[in-house]
Amino acid sequence: MFDDIKREKLLFDLYMQVDMDTKSRFKGYEEIYLDTGISFYKRNNYDSAAKVLEQFKLIHTPRDEKRAEGLYYLGMAYSKLGKGDNARNAYMELLESVPKSVYASAARSELEDAKWRKNLGK
């Protein structure tokens, strides 16, 4: 447990450093945004998760598994915040940009569940 807390503190410190000081950025630095956003999500801090994952989405443009993972967690964070349109947009972007990702099927399931919940309320 202590190692996880220590790792997370180092991750948050590194995130703050690369976010504030562009000169401290290195090749692959954008993955710090992904890891930080997912950490916020797992701590139920959905506002911060969405903010950081939006940053990740803007700086990590390759259509790869990392982008898919970021978009998936972004959609999940927005869903937890009750921002269904934002969640749907993140999932749709994931399906359009990385359709063969392992996260694509999870995004499809989330979209189907959201549609089902919406129809239930009618």
Short mmCIF file of all heavy atoms in Angstrom, two decimals, residues 15 19 25 28-38 48-74 93-94 97-98 103:
data_model
loop_
_atom_site.label_atom_id
_atom_site.label_comp_id
_atom_site.label_asym_id
_atom_site.label_seq_id
_atom_site.Cartn_x
_atom_site.Cartn_y
_atom_site.Cartn_z
N TYR A 15 3.46 15.24 -12.91
CA TYR A 15 2.41 15.87 -13.71
C TYR A 15 2.44 17.39 -13.52
O TYR A 15 2.40 18.14 -14.50
CB TYR A 15 1.03 15.32 -13.33
CG TYR A 15 -0.10 16.21 -13.77
CD1 TYR A 15 -0.46 16.30 -15.12
CD2 TYR A 15 -0.80 17.00 -12.86
CE1 TYR A 15 -1.48 17.13 -15.54
CE2 TYR A 15 -1.81 17.83 -13.27
CZ TYR A 15 -2.15 17.90 -14.60
OH TYR A 15 -3.16 18.74 -15.01
N ASP A 19 3.33 19.95 -16.54
CA ASP A 19 2.20 20.80 -16.93
C ASP A 19 2.56 22.28 -16.81
O ASP A 19 2.16 23.08 -17.65
CB ASP A 19 0.98 20.48 -16.06
CG ASP A 19 -0.28 21.12 -16.60
OD1 ASP A 19 -0.56 20.95 -17.81
OD2 ASP A 19 -1.00 21.78 -15.82
N ARG A 25 9.50 18.95 -20.23
CA ARG A 25 8.85 17.87 -20.97
C ARG A 25 9.87 17.03 -21.73
O ARG A 25 10.89 17.53 -22.18
CB ARG A 25 7.80 18.44 -21.92
CG ARG A 25 6.66 19.07 -21.14
CD ARG A 25 5.63 19.66 -22.03
NE ARG A 25 4.57 20.22 -21.20
CZ ARG A 25 3.59 20.96 -21.66
NH1 ARG A 25 3.51 21.23 -22.96
NH2 ARG A 25 2.68 21.43 -20.85
N GLY A 28 7.34 11.37 -24.78
CA GLY A 28 6.38 10.51 -24.10
C GLY A 28 5.78 11.11 -22.85
O GLY A 28 5.04 10.44 -22.13
N TYR A 29 6.06 12.39 -22.59
CA TYR A 29 5.56 13.03 -21.36
C TYR A 29 4.03 13.00 -21.27
O TYR A 29 3.48 12.99 -20.17
CB TYR A 29 6.04 14.48 -21.27
CG TYR A 29 5.27 15.44 -22.13
CD1 TYR A 29 4.18 16.14 -21.62
CD2 TYR A 29 5.60 15.64 -23.47
CE1 TYR A 29 3.46 17.01 -22.41
CE2 TYR A 29 4.88 16.49 -24.27
CZ TYR A 29 3.81 17.18 -23.74
OH TYR A 29 3.09 18.04 -24.52
N GLU A 30 3.35 12.95 -22.42
CA GLU A 30 1.89 12.99 -22.39
C GLU A 30 1.27 11.80 -21.66
O GLU A 30 0.16 11.87 -21.16
CB GLU A 30 1.31 13.13 -23.80
CG GLU A 30 1.54 11.96 -24.71
CD GLU A 30 2.86 11.99 -25.47
OE1 GLU A 30 3.70 12.88 -25.23
OE2 GLU A 30 3.06 11.11 -26.30
N GLU A 31 2.03 10.70 -21.56
CA GLU A 31 1.51 9.54 -20.83
C GLU A 31 1.36 9.83 -19.34
O GLU A 31 0.58 9.18 -18.66
CB GLU A 31 2.40 8.32 -21.07
CG GLU A 31 2.24 7.79 -22.48
CD GLU A 31 3.00 6.51 -22.73
OE1 GLU A 31 3.20 5.73 -21.78
OE2 GLU A 31 3.39 6.29 -23.89
N ILE A 32 2.08 10.83 -18.85
CA ILE A 32 1.92 11.25 -17.46
C ILE A 32 0.50 11.79 -17.26
O ILE A 32 -0.13 11.54 -16.24
CB ILE A 32 2.97 12.30 -17.07
CG1 ILE A 32 4.35 11.65 -17.05
CG2 ILE A 32 2.66 12.96 -15.74
CD1 ILE A 32 5.49 12.62 -16.97
N TYR A 33 -0.01 12.50 -18.27
CA TYR A 33 -1.37 13.01 -18.20
C TYR A 33 -2.36 11.84 -18.15
O TYR A 33 -3.33 11.88 -17.39
CB TYR A 33 -1.67 13.91 -19.40
CG TYR A 33 -0.99 15.25 -19.34
CD1 TYR A 33 0.36 15.40 -19.61
CD2 TYR A 33 -1.71 16.39 -19.01
CE1 TYR A 33 0.98 16.64 -19.57
CE2 TYR A 33 -1.11 17.64 -18.96
CZ TYR A 33 0.25 17.75 -19.24
OH TYR A 33 0.85 18.98 -19.18
N LEU A 34 -2.14 10.84 -18.98
CA LEU A 34 -3.00 9.67 -18.99
C LEU A 34 -3.00 8.98 -17.63
O LEU A 34 -4.06 8.74 -17.04
CB LEU A 34 -2.56 8.69 -20.08
CG LEU A 34 -3.31 7.36 -20.15
CD1 LEU A 34 -4.78 7.57 -20.46
CD2 LEU A 34 -2.66 6.45 -21.18
N ASP A 35 -1.82 8.69 -17.11
CA ASP A 35 -1.73 8.00 -15.82
C ASP A 35 -2.32 8.83 -14.69
O ASP A 35 -2.98 8.29 -13.79
CB ASP A 35 -0.27 7.65 -15.51
CG ASP A 35 0.29 6.59 -16.45
OD1 ASP A 35 -0.50 5.90 -17.12
OD2 ASP A 35 1.53 6.47 -16.52
N THR A 36 -2.10 10.13 -14.73
CA THR A 36 -2.64 11.01 -13.69
C THR A 36 -4.17 11.05 -13.77
O THR A 36 -4.85 10.95 -12.74
CB THR A 36 -2.06 12.43 -13.82
OG1 THR A 36 -0.64 12.35 -13.71
CG2 THR A 36 -2.60 13.35 -12.74
N GLY A 37 -4.70 11.18 -14.98
CA GLY A 37 -6.15 11.19 -15.14
C GLY A 37 -6.79 9.90 -14.65
O GLY A 37 -7.82 9.93 -13.96
N ILE A 38 -6.18 8.78 -14.97
CA ILE A 38 -6.72 7.49 -14.52
C ILE A 38 -6.61 7.38 -12.99
O ILE A 38 -7.53 6.88 -12.33
CB ILE A 38 -6.01 6.32 -15.22
CG1 ILE A 38 -6.38 6.31 -16.71
CG2 ILE A 38 -6.36 4.98 -14.57
CD1 ILE A 38 -5.57 5.35 -17.55
N SER A 48 -11.32 16.27 -11.68
CA SER A 48 -9.90 16.35 -12.01
C SER A 48 -9.54 15.35 -13.10
O SER A 48 -8.73 15.65 -13.98
CB SER A 48 -9.05 16.11 -10.76
OG SER A 48 -9.24 17.16 -9.84
N ALA A 49 -10.13 14.16 -13.04
CA ALA A 49 -9.87 13.16 -14.07
C ALA A 49 -10.25 13.69 -15.45
O ALA A 49 -9.47 13.59 -16.40
CB ALA A 49 -10.63 11.87 -13.77
N ALA A 50 -11.44 14.28 -15.55
CA ALA A 50 -11.90 14.81 -16.83
C ALA A 50 -10.98 15.93 -17.32
O ALA A 50 -10.62 15.98 -18.50
CB ALA A 50 -13.34 15.31 -16.72
N LYS A 51 -10.58 16.80 -16.41
CA LYS A 51 -9.71 17.93 -16.79
C LYS A 51 -8.38 17.42 -17.35
O LYS A 51 -7.93 17.84 -18.42
CB LYS A 51 -9.45 18.82 -15.58
CG LYS A 51 -8.50 19.96 -15.82
CD LYS A 51 -8.21 20.72 -14.54
CE LYS A 51 -7.08 21.69 -14.75
NZ LYS A 51 -5.81 21.25 -14.26
N VAL A 52 -7.75 16.52 -16.64
CA VAL A 52 -6.44 16.01 -17.06
C VAL A 52 -6.55 15.16 -18.32
O VAL A 52 -5.71 15.26 -19.23
CB VAL A 52 -5.77 15.22 -15.91
CG1 VAL A 52 -4.47 14.58 -16.36
CG2 VAL A 52 -5.51 16.14 -14.72
N LEU A 53 -7.60 14.36 -18.43
CA LEU A 53 -7.76 13.52 -19.62
C LEU A 53 -8.13 14.35 -20.85
O LEU A 53 -7.77 13.99 -21.97
CB LEU A 53 -8.79 12.43 -19.36
CG LEU A 53 -8.30 11.36 -18.36
CD1 LEU A 53 -9.45 10.47 -17.92
CD2 LEU A 53 -7.16 10.54 -18.95
N GLU A 54 -8.79 15.48 -20.65
CA GLU A 54 -9.02 16.40 -21.78
C GLU A 54 -7.68 16.95 -22.27
O GLU A 54 -7.45 17.07 -23.47
CB GLU A 54 -9.95 17.55 -21.38
CG GLU A 54 -11.41 17.21 -21.37
CD GLU A 54 -12.03 17.02 -22.74
OE1 GLU A 54 -11.38 17.30 -23.77
OE2 GLU A 54 -13.19 16.57 -22.79
N GLN A 55 -6.79 17.27 -21.34
CA GLN A 55 -5.45 17.73 -21.71
C GLN A 55 -4.72 16.64 -22.48
O GLN A 55 -4.09 16.92 -23.50
CB GLN A 55 -4.63 18.12 -20.47
CG GLN A 55 -5.11 19.36 -19.77
CD GLN A 55 -4.31 19.59 -18.50
OE1 GLN A 55 -4.41 18.83 -17.54
NE2 GLN A 55 -3.50 20.64 -18.50
N PHE A 56 -4.80 15.42 -21.97
CA PHE A 56 -4.16 14.28 -22.65
C PHE A 56 -4.67 14.16 -24.08
O PHE A 56 -3.90 13.99 -25.02
CB PHE A 56 -4.40 12.99 -21.87
CG PHE A 56 -3.93 11.77 -22.61
CD1 PHE A 56 -2.58 11.47 -22.68
CD2 PHE A 56 -4.83 10.94 -23.25
CE1 PHE A 56 -2.13 10.35 -23.38
CE2 PHE A 56 -4.40 9.82 -23.94
CZ PHE A 56 -3.05 9.53 -24.01
N LYS A 57 -5.98 14.24 -24.24
CA LYS A 57 -6.60 14.09 -25.56
C LYS A 57 -6.05 15.13 -26.54
O LYS A 57 -5.83 14.81 -27.71
CB LYS A 57 -8.12 14.23 -25.43
CG LYS A 57 -8.87 14.09 -26.72
CD LYS A 57 -10.35 14.18 -26.52
CE LYS A 57 -10.79 15.63 -26.52
NZ LYS A 57 -12.24 15.79 -26.64
N LEU A 58 -5.81 16.33 -26.06
CA LEU A 58 -5.31 17.39 -26.93
C LEU A 58 -3.85 17.21 -27.33
O LEU A 58 -3.46 17.59 -28.43
CB LEU A 58 -5.49 18.75 -26.26
CG LEU A 58 -6.94 19.21 -26.07
CD1 LEU A 58 -6.98 20.49 -25.26
CD2 LEU A 58 -7.64 19.38 -27.41
N ILE A 59 -3.05 16.63 -26.43
CA ILE A 59 -1.61 16.54 -26.72
C ILE A 59 -1.19 15.18 -27.27
O ILE A 59 -0.14 15.07 -27.88
CB ILE A 59 -0.74 16.90 -25.49
CG1 ILE A 59 -1.05 16.00 -24.31
CG2 ILE A 59 -0.89 18.35 -25.14
CD1 ILE A 59 -0.19 16.25 -23.09
N HIS A 60 -2.01 14.16 -27.06
CA HIS A 60 -1.67 12.82 -27.58
C HIS A 60 -2.61 12.51 -28.74
O HIS A 60 -3.71 12.02 -28.53
CB HIS A 60 -1.79 11.76 -26.48
CG HIS A 60 -1.30 10.42 -26.92
ND1 HIS A 60 0.03 10.07 -26.87
CD2 HIS A 60 -1.94 9.36 -27.46
CE1 HIS A 60 0.19 8.85 -27.34
NE2 HIS A 60 -1.00 8.39 -27.70
N THR A 61 -2.15 12.79 -29.95
CA THR A 61 -3.02 12.64 -31.12
C THR A 61 -2.90 11.33 -31.88
O THR A 61 -3.77 11.03 -32.69
CB THR A 61 -2.79 13.82 -32.10
OG1 THR A 61 -1.41 13.86 -32.44
CG2 THR A 61 -3.22 15.13 -31.47
N PRO A 62 -1.85 10.52 -31.67
CA PRO A 62 -1.79 9.26 -32.43
C PRO A 62 -3.02 8.38 -32.14
O PRO A 62 -3.50 8.33 -31.00
CB PRO A 62 -0.52 8.57 -31.92
CG PRO A 62 0.29 9.64 -31.32
CD PRO A 62 -0.68 10.67 -30.81
N ARG A 63 -3.48 7.71 -33.15
CA ARG A 63 -4.64 6.82 -32.99
C ARG A 63 -4.12 5.46 -32.52
O ARG A 63 -3.93 4.55 -33.32
CB ARG A 63 -5.39 6.71 -34.31
CG ARG A 63 -6.01 8.03 -34.70
CD ARG A 63 -6.65 7.97 -36.07
NE ARG A 63 -7.33 9.22 -36.31
CZ ARG A 63 -8.54 9.33 -36.80
NH1 ARG A 63 -9.22 8.25 -37.14
NH2 ARG A 63 -9.08 10.50 -36.99
N ASP A 64 -3.90 5.37 -31.23
CA ASP A 64 -3.31 4.15 -30.66
C ASP A 64 -4.03 3.75 -29.39
O ASP A 64 -5.01 4.39 -28.98
CB ASP A 64 -1.80 4.37 -30.43
CG ASP A 64 -1.49 5.49 -29.44
OD1 ASP A 64 -2.43 6.04 -28.81
OD2 ASP A 64 -0.31 5.82 -29.28
N GLU A 65 -3.55 2.68 -28.76
CA GLU A 65 -4.18 2.17 -27.54
C GLU A 65 -4.16 3.19 -26.40
O GLU A 65 -5.09 3.23 -25.60
CB GLU A 65 -3.50 0.87 -27.08
CG GLU A 65 -3.93 -0.34 -27.85
CD GLU A 65 -5.40 -0.68 -27.71
OE1 GLU A 65 -5.94 -0.73 -26.59
OE2 GLU A 65 -6.04 -0.91 -28.75
N LYS A 66 -3.11 3.99 -26.30
CA LYS A 66 -3.04 5.00 -25.23
C LYS A 66 -4.16 6.02 -25.40
O LYS A 66 -4.83 6.39 -24.45
CB LYS A 66 -1.68 5.71 -25.22
CG LYS A 66 -0.53 4.82 -24.86
CD LYS A 66 -0.60 4.44 -23.41
CE LYS A 66 0.61 3.63 -23.01
NZ LYS A 66 0.54 3.16 -21.64
N ARG A 67 -4.35 6.48 -26.64
CA ARG A 67 -5.44 7.44 -26.90
C ARG A 67 -6.79 6.79 -26.58
O ARG A 67 -7.66 7.41 -25.97
CB ARG A 67 -5.41 7.92 -28.34
CG ARG A 67 -6.49 8.96 -28.63
CD ARG A 67 -6.24 9.68 -29.93
NE ARG A 67 -7.25 10.69 -30.19
CZ ARG A 67 -7.26 11.91 -29.68
NH1 ARG A 67 -6.28 12.29 -28.88
NH2 ARG A 67 -8.22 12.75 -29.97
N ALA A 68 -6.97 5.55 -26.99
CA ALA A 68 -8.22 4.83 -26.73
C ALA A 68 -8.47 4.73 -25.22
O ALA A 68 -9.59 4.97 -24.76
CB ALA A 68 -8.18 3.45 -27.36
N GLU A 69 -7.45 4.40 -24.48
CA GLU A 69 -7.59 4.29 -23.02
C GLU A 69 -7.98 5.63 -22.41
O GLU A 69 -8.86 5.72 -21.56
CB GLU A 69 -6.27 3.78 -22.42
CG GLU A 69 -6.34 3.53 -20.93
CD GLU A 69 -5.05 2.97 -20.37
OE1 GLU A 69 -3.99 3.04 -21.05
OE2 GLU A 69 -5.08 2.46 -19.23
N GLY A 70 -7.32 6.69 -22.86
CA GLY A 70 -7.63 8.02 -22.35
C GLY A 70 -9.06 8.43 -22.66
O GLY A 70 -9.77 8.96 -21.79
N LEU A 71 -9.51 8.17 -23.88
CA LEU A 71 -10.88 8.52 -24.26
C LEU A 71 -11.90 7.69 -23.49
O LEU A 71 -12.96 8.19 -23.11
CB LEU A 71 -11.07 8.34 -25.76
CG LEU A 71 -10.36 9.37 -26.63
CD1 LEU A 71 -10.38 8.93 -28.10
CD2 LEU A 71 -10.99 10.74 -26.47
N TYR A 72 -11.58 6.44 -23.24
CA TYR A 72 -12.49 5.58 -22.47
C TYR A 72 -12.66 6.13 -21.05
O TYR A 72 -13.78 6.31 -20.57
CB TYR A 72 -11.98 4.14 -22.43
CG TYR A 72 -12.84 3.27 -21.57
CD1 TYR A 72 -14.10 2.86 -21.99
CD2 TYR A 72 -12.41 2.88 -20.31
CE1 TYR A 72 -14.92 2.09 -21.18
CE2 TYR A 72 -13.22 2.10 -19.50
CZ TYR A 72 -14.47 1.71 -19.93
OH TYR A 72 -15.27 0.95 -19.12
N TYR A 73 -11.55 6.40 -20.38
CA TYR A 73 -11.64 6.92 -19.01
C TYR A 73 -12.24 8.33 -18.98
O TYR A 73 -12.93 8.69 -18.02
CB TYR A 73 -10.28 6.89 -18.31
CG TYR A 73 -10.00 5.54 -17.71
CD1 TYR A 73 -9.20 4.62 -18.35
CD2 TYR A 73 -10.57 5.17 -16.49
CE1 TYR A 73 -8.95 3.36 -17.81
CE2 TYR A 73 -10.33 3.92 -15.94
CZ TYR A 73 -9.54 3.02 -16.60
OH TYR A 73 -9.30 1.79 -16.06
N LEU A 74 -12.02 9.10 -20.03
CA LEU A 74 -12.65 10.42 -20.12
C LEU A 74 -14.16 10.25 -20.18
O LEU A 74 -14.90 10.95 -19.46
CB LEU A 74 -12.13 11.17 -21.35
CG LEU A 74 -12.72 12.55 -21.60
CD1 LEU A 74 -12.42 13.50 -20.43
CD2 LEU A 74 -12.15 13.12 -22.90
N GLU A 93 -15.73 9.40 -30.15
CA GLU A 93 -14.40 9.73 -30.68
C GLU A 93 -13.49 8.51 -30.61
O GLU A 93 -12.72 8.23 -31.53
CB GLU A 93 -13.80 10.90 -29.92
CG GLU A 93 -12.47 11.35 -30.50
CD GLU A 93 -11.89 12.58 -29.84
OE1 GLU A 93 -12.61 13.31 -29.15
OE2 GLU A 93 -10.67 12.80 -30.03
N LEU A 94 -13.60 7.76 -29.53
CA LEU A 94 -12.82 6.53 -29.39
C LEU A 94 -13.18 5.55 -30.50
O LEU A 94 -12.30 5.00 -31.17
CB LEU A 94 -13.08 5.88 -28.02
CG LEU A 94 -12.42 4.53 -27.83
CD1 LEU A 94 -11.38 4.61 -26.75
CD2 LEU A 94 -13.43 3.48 -27.47
N SER A 97 -11.83 6.94 -33.87
CA SER A 97 -10.38 7.08 -34.06
C SER A 97 -9.60 5.79 -33.83
O SER A 97 -8.56 5.60 -34.44
CB SER A 97 -9.84 8.21 -33.18
OG SER A 97 -9.99 7.91 -31.81
N VAL A 98 -10.08 4.92 -32.95
CA VAL A 98 -9.35 3.68 -32.66
C VAL A 98 -10.37 2.52 -32.56
O VAL A 98 -10.54 1.92 -31.50
CB VAL A 98 -8.53 3.80 -31.34
CG1 VAL A 98 -7.47 2.71 -31.26
CG2 VAL A 98 -7.88 5.16 -31.18
N TYR A 103 -10.51 -1.08 -25.97
CA TYR A 103 -11.43 -0.16 -25.28
C TYR A 103 -12.67 0.14 -26.12
O TYR A 103 -13.67 0.62 -25.60
CB TYR A 103 -10.72 1.15 -24.92
CG TYR A 103 -9.66 0.93 -23.87
CD1 TYR A 103 -8.33 0.75 -24.22
CD2 TYR A 103 -10.00 0.86 -22.52
CE1 TYR A 103 -7.36 0.51 -23.26
CE2 TYR A 103 -9.04 0.62 -21.55
CZ TYR A 103 -7.72 0.45 -21.92
OH TYR A 103 -6.77 0.20 -20.97
#
